[in-house]
Amino acid sequence: MRWYNTPKGYLPSITSVLGRTSPDDKKESLENWRNAIGHEQANEITNEACRHGTAVHALMEHHFVGTAISD
């Protein structure tokens, strides 16, 4: 679980919150989606989503610690 040290104390990342509060049938739904569109396309979409998530995490971390973001 990822935590952010904020001025109001430690807060969990949204990814952590969503992962812990997802309905039990989510895994089955995701597998059905992968089968429907094909695993290769699902992997491309998943990888792109992961890149976006990583960028959001980086933005949040920089915001909380007050540092500039480099390219």
Side-chain angles (χ1 to χ4, degrees), residues 8-63:
K8 296 189 179 212
Y10 284 91
L11 298 173
S13 72
I14 188 64
T15 305
S16 297
V17 171
L18 291 174
R20 300 246 174 153
T21 60
S22 297
D24 292 336
D25 62 345
K26 181 179 178 180
K27 186 175 182 179
E28 181 181 349
S29 296
L30 286 172
E31 189 59 33
N32 291 339
W33 168 74
R34 293 178 81 63
N35 290 333
I37 67 167
H39 287 265
E40 185 175 332
Q41 184 177 4
N43 287 340
E44 290 175 17
I45 293 168
T46 300
N47 289 336
E48 183 176 356
C50 286
R51 284 191 300 276
H52 288 236
T54 298
V56 170
H57 278 288
L59 288 170
M60 295 298 292
E61 289 172 0
H62 285 285
H63 173 76

